[in-house]
């Protein structure tokens, strides 16, 4: 990383945090230049995910389950496909008074599925797999760009490999919206770090059309802009201020637009919250999740409780480690908001690892450490993690899997 890049100091929970603004124009920092530099990361990412799909297919031969169906025809993928084919309006009444409505699902993925299935000989489900595949590569490129900018090229590659090899990384290969959302979030965060505020706002708006947690990207843009504007010692010049305000104005349009539309359609300003309530989702400050974890310790399932508790401690430790190491403010706001929304929401607790999947900045301390390791040791570590993730992903999807 060149030492002569301009730096803007912004306050973070751990003190001053250097946020690198856009360097002088040059081929290494154009979009094509970033993609060329990301090539090793993209190849590594594709290899990890190909291993995961291959292990899933082999596992399926033993269990009699089709890998294609597991990736494209279950759980949320079915809801997205139905929206793509028939539009919104489907509800599923359940015993006990709960009503599952497709309005819980944000529209960008089904829009893309509908568009692709209209021009290509693909079903909506297969179009979802195509979107997920392309978006996962875009996510890997954005994650690499963030990691390289902060810690160098090797750390960028390591960050991508760690994200690909997460235990629930198989979701990145499913007809789900996580890959699409992470791609938009990563590039929005990179644009904030580079001082490209309109691009940051546009990516944040699209992320807000993809998942409810798009609010985390909006928060990252808004908080970073607010801190920048409130600093007295290094306030931006008027042209940059106008670009910043444009990005701030664009950022919430997707998330807010969909939530307002659902409110109008359901006839109440809290319409989206009511829809989520029909799924048994909502926010209780983590009471339900804490009770669920505590309940694991009361019987023979105590090892599961211990594992859940260790997982929560790990992600909190990673967040604190990033803050202590001076992680830039937009990354801290984004990953902190993702964690907060995931850990304080009630609902199906098996979804929580998947809900935290987009919080890739949590992996930065581990990526920096892996980048400092000797190449042979780093490769062996990455290979072991990839194999473990592939086996766990196959086991997961052949069992309860993500809802």
């Amino acid at each position: 990383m060149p030492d002569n890049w301009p730096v803007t100091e912004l306050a973070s929970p751990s003190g001053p945090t250097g946020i690198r603004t856009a360097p002088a124009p040059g081929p290494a920092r154009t979009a094509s230049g970033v993609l060329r530099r990301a090539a090793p990361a993209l190849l590594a990412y594709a290899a990890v995910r190909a291993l995961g799909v291959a292990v899933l297919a082999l596992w399926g031969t033993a269990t009699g389950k089709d890998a294609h169906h597991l990736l494209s025809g279950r759980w949320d993928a079915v809801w997205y496909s139905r929206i793509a084919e028939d539009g919104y309006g489907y509800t599923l009444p359940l015993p006990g008074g709960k009503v599952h409505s497709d309005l819980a699902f944000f529209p960008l993925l089904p829009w893309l599925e509908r568009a692709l299935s209209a021009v290509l000989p693909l079903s909506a489900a297969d179009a979802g797999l195509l979107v997920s595949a392309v978006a996962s590569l875009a996510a890997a490129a954005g994650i690499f760009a963030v990691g390289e900018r902060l810690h160098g090229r090797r750390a960028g590659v390591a960050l991508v490999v760690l994200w690909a090899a997460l235990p629930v990384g198989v979701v990145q290969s499913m007809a789900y919206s996580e890959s699409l959302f992470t791609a938009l979030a990563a590039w929005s965060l990179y644009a904030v770090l580079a001082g490209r505020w309109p691009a940051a706002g546009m990516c944040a708006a699209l992320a807000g059309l993809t998942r409810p947690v798009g609010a985390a990207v909006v928060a990252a843009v808004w908080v970073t802009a607010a801190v920048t504007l409130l600093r007295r010692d290094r306030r931006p010049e008027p042209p940059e201020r106008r670009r910043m305000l444009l990005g701030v104005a664009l950022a919430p349009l997707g998330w807010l637009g969909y939530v307002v539309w659902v409110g109008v359609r359901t006839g109440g300003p809290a319409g989206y919250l009511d829809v989520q309530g029909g799924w048994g989702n909502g926010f209780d400050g983590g009471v339900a999740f804490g009770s669920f974890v505590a309940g694991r310790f009361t019987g023979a399932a105590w090892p599961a409780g211990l594992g859940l508790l260790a997982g929560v401690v790990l992600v909190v430790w990673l967040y604190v480690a990033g803050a202590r190491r001076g992680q830039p403010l937009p990354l801290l706001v984004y990953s902190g908001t993702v964690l907060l929304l995931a850990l304080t929401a009630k609902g199906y607790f098996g979804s929580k690892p998947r809900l935290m999947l987009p919080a890739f900045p949590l992996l930065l301390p581990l990526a920096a450490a892996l980048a400092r390791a000797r190449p042979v040791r780093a490769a062996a570590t990455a290979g072991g993690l990839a194999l473990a993730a592939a086996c766990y992903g196959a086991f997961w999807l052949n069992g309860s899997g993500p809802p």
Side-chain angles (χ1 to χ4, degrees):
M1 179 173 58
D3 293 332
N4 60 350
W5 284 9
V7 173
T8 300
E9 296 290 339
L10 293 182
S12 79
S14 61
T17 299
I19 293 188
R20 293 160 182 82
T21 58
R29 290 296 146 183
T30 62
S32 59
V34 170
L35 290 177
R36 283 196 300 271
R37 292 180 62 79
L42 297 181
L43 289 173
Y45 176 81
V48 173
R49 294 299 344 124
L51 175 64
V53 174
V55 171
L56 178 64
L58 289 173
W59 200 296
T61 61
T63 61
K65 294 183 178 180
D66 178 56
H68 177 268
H69 177 70
L70 292 175
L71 295 173
S72 66
R74 298 176 72 188
W75 305 299
D76 291 6
V78 175
W79 289 86
Y80 284 122
S81 296
R82 183 182 287 115
I83 295 168
E85 294 168 347
D86 303 324
Y88 284 101
Y90 179 79
T91 58
L92 178 64
L94 297 175
K98 289 185 178 181
V99 176
H100 288 184
S101 167
D102 58 10
L103 293 174
F105 297 90
F106 278 52
L108 186 56
L109 177 58
W111 284 350
L112 293 175
E113 289 179 344
R114 174 177 290 186
L116 286 175
S117 60
V119 299
L120 297 174
L122 295 173
S123 65
D126 286 338
L129 287 179
L130 178 59
V131 171
S132 182
V134 174
S136 68
L137 288 172
I143 290 170
F144 168 82
V146 171
E148 183 202 28
R149 188 173 190 90
L150 298 180
H151 299 293
R153 193 178 187 188
R154 287 189 64 185
V157 175
L159 183 61
V160 168
V161 170
L162 290 174
W163 186 69
L166 287 172
V168 294
V170 68
V171 173
Q172 300 161 18
S173 300
M174 297 177 68
Y176 270 42
S177 60
E178 273 76 8
S179 293
L180 179 60
F181 173 79
T182 306
L184 294 165
W187 283 110
S188 179
L189 294 172
Y190 177 77
V192 172
L193 293 174
R196 298 166 185 167
W197 292 96
M202 182 59 69
C203 288
L206 291 173
L209 281 172
T210 308
R211 294 189 61 78
V213 75
V217 191
V218 178
V221 173
W222 277 17
V223 172
T224 307
V227 171
T228 304
L229 292 172
L230 291 174
R231 283 185 60 91
R232 296 183 177 181
D233 53 342
R234 298 190 65 175
R235 284 181 177 174
E237 296 296 324
E240 183 183 355
R241 191 181 306 132
R242 287 192 291 270
R243 291 192 296 271
M244 184 180 297
L245 293 176
L246 175 59
V248 166
L250 290 171
L253 295 183
W255 185 90
L256 186 62
Y258 182 70
V259 170
V260 169
W261 179 79
V262 172
V264 172
R265 179 156 177 153
T266 57
Y272 186 75
L273 294 178
D274 294 338
V275 168
Q276 286 289 357
W279 284 79
N281 298 328
F283 296 95
D284 61 1
V287 173
F289 182 50
S291 299
F292 177 80
V293 174
R296 305 304 97 184
F297 287 95
T298 59
W302 66 266
L306 191 62
L308 287 170
L309 184 61
V312 173
V313 171
L314 175 62
V315 296
V316 173
W317 178 84
L318 287 172
Y319 182 80
V320 173
R324 289 174 61 87
R325 287 165 173 78
Q327 198 171 103
L329 181 62
L331 302 188
L332 290 174
V333 173
Y334 167 73
S335 56
T337 306
V338 172
L339 286 184
L340 182 66
L341 293 175
L343 295 177
T344 62
K346 58 183 179 179
Y348 180 66
F349 301 108
S351 296
K352 292 193 181 294
R354 176 172 67 88
L355 297 178
M356 290 186 281
L357 182 69
F360 69 89
L362 294 175
L363 301 172
L364 274 168
L366 300 179
L370 188 61
R372 292 191 297 267
R374 293 181 179 180
V376 173
R377 186 173 183 177
T381 301
L385 290 173
L387 182 58
C391 293
Y392 181 79
F395 168 78
W396 195 39
L397 288 194
N398 278 275
S400 60

